[in-house]
């Protein structure tokens, strides 16, 4: 395992996603979730000196993994600005785009980042440490309705209203600043046998809200439609039902809602053709080596 992969994680569905990109040696490619650089390293390996690869990541920690390669350009930005930055680099169309939407083990294992309930530390959860809004800020300022909606929409938690009510009552006499304070408040609301699973949903909901993940994903997918050349590929690895549903809708119908639009002749109007009708999942061997991949799903589409 390389140093970059040790810092972040073993790339998920590496062979399947790179094959899905259908790489040509002299093409232009985008890795929207650079992270430890595992996927980018393999893309570069399949390119010749004419090829170009752009790697996006909003986390400054990813910069230590930038390869010393003239074909690679690092873009420290949220992938929602895909089209803007490609225009900045005078690139109109690209041959393939890859996005691995999973949160890396690097983030989960860093107590200071506040992504996991396994540690004590500040409630931060910002992918971009320069961004203003933290998890603690949301918990202490959102209305009860906003909190309930967040936990229901992004965590799919049935007791979202109760969660919000307890948090609002608690913060009347105590600011919620640390992971430990937060977990102590919400633990009694979950049955012991489901505690870890439900806590994971709570932290997922909060992380998605902090980083505006669903809005960013929607904007990125819409931008991908515009910047891919005809025949270009879009490969996306998802980890939870919310993001997978959005990716599937865009690929099948061209819109986030999944509304099927047809032309005068009854043909479905969509900018993509599905490359894999059945979602690609990791092998048992990969899951054994890398448990993080267990919930991963890969979808690949080709621009018409």
């Amino acid at each position: 395992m390389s140093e970059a992969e040790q810092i972040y994680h073993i790339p998920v569905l590496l062979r399947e996603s790179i094959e899905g990109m259908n790489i040509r040696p002299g093409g232009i490619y985008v890795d929207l979730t650079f992270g430890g650089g595992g996927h980018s390293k393999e893309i570069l390996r399949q390119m010749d000196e004419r090829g170009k690869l752009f790697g996006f990541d909003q986390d400054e920690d990813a910069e230590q993994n930038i390869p010393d390669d003239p074909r690679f350009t690092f873009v420290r930005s949220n992938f929602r600005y895909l089209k803007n930055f490609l225009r900045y680099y005078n690139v109109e169309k690209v041959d393939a785009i890859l996005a691995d939407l999973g949160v890396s083990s690097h983030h989960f294992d860093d107590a200071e980042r506040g992504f996991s309930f396994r540690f004590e530390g500040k409630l931060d959860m910002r992918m971009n440490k320069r961004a203003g809004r933290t998890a603690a800020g949301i918990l202490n300022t959102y209305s009860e309705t906003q909190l309930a909606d967040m936990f229901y929409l992004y965590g799919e938690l049935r007791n979202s209203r109760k969660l919000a009510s307890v948090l609002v009552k608690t913060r009347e006499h105590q600011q919620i600043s640390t992971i430990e304070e937060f977990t102590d408040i919400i633990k009694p609301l979950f049955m012991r046998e489901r505690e870890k699973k439900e806590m994971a949903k709570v932290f997922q909901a909060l992380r998605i809200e902090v980083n505006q993940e669903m809005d960013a994903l929607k904007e990125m997918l819409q931008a991908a439609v515009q910047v891919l050349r005809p025949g270009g590929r879009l490969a996306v690895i998802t980890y939870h039902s919310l993001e997978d549903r959005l990716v599937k809708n865009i690929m099948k119908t061209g819109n986030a809602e999944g509304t099927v639009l047809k032309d005068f002749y009854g043909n479905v109007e969509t900018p993509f053709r599905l490359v894999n009708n059945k979602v690609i999942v990791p092998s048992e061997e990969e899951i054994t080596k890398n448990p993080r991949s267990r919930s991963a799903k890969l979808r690949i589409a080709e621009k018409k």
Side-chain angles (χ1 to χ4, degrees), residues 43-196:
I43 295 169
L44 288 167
R45 198 180 69 80
Q46 297 195 25
M47 288 164 37
D48 62 24
E49 70 280 354
R50 298 169 299 158
K52 290 183 180 180
L53 173 61
F54 294 87
F56 280 67
D57 207 298
Q58 61 185 326
D59 185 1
E60 64 184 20
D61 290 353
E63 294 186 33
Q64 61 191 302
N65 304 316
I66 297 173
D68 183 14
D69 192 313
R71 300 170 299 172
F72 181 83
T73 300
F74 182 76
V75 181
R76 187 177 169 189
S77 173
N78 190 301
F79 60 34
R80 72 196 308 168
Y81 303 116
L82 166 65
K83 187 178 179 182
N84 295 19
F85 276 96
L86 288 179
R87 188 186 298 126
Y88 174 78
Y89 287 105
N90 297 313
V91 175
E92 290 188 12
K93 299 292 180 182
V94 301
D95 295 285
I97 296 169
L98 171 67
D100 177 356
L101 303 179
V103 180
S104 71
S105 54
H106 163 73
H107 290 115
F108 278 125
D109 293 341
D110 186 348
E112 291 301 311
R113 301 297 291 269
F115 284 95
S116 174
F117 54 84
R118 292 182 290 132
F119 304 109
E120 295 180 14
K122 293 181 180 179
L123 271 169
D124 194 315
M125 296 195 188
R126 291 173 299 173
M127 292 288 188
N128 178 0
K129 289 187 279 190
R130 298 171 299 172
R133 186 172 58 177
T134 66
I138 286 172
L139 291 174
N140 288 299
T141 60
Y142 272 29
S143 69
E144 188 171 325
T145 299
Q146 286 176 307
L147 289 172
D149 288 346
M150 176 185 72
F151 290 128
Y152 182 74
L153 292 172
Y154 298 150
E156 299 178 296
L157 288 147
R158 294 179 181 177
N159 63 342
S160 59
R161 293 189 184 280
K162 180 67 174 175
L163 263 170
S165 176
V166 168
L167 288 167
V168 169
K169 284 184 173 64
T170 301
R171 76 189 190 195
E172 289 175 359
H173 55 83
Q174 170 197 341
Q175 285 285 291
I176 307 166
S177 302
T178 67
I179 296 170
E180 190 175 26
E181 290 169 350
F182 183 43
T183 55
D184 283 348
I185 295 165
I186 64 175
K187 268 183 181 179
L189 300 177
F190 303 118
M191 295 177 67
R192 191 166 186 82
E193 62 268 22
R194 290 188 56 81
E195 184 180 286
K196 285 187 178 179

Side-chain angles (χ1 to χ4, degrees), residues 226-241:
Q226 299 176 56
V227 302
L228 278 168
R229 67 167 181 81
R233 296 283 184 90
L234 174 64
V236 185
I237 303 171
T238 64
Y239 293 82
H240 59 77
S241 59

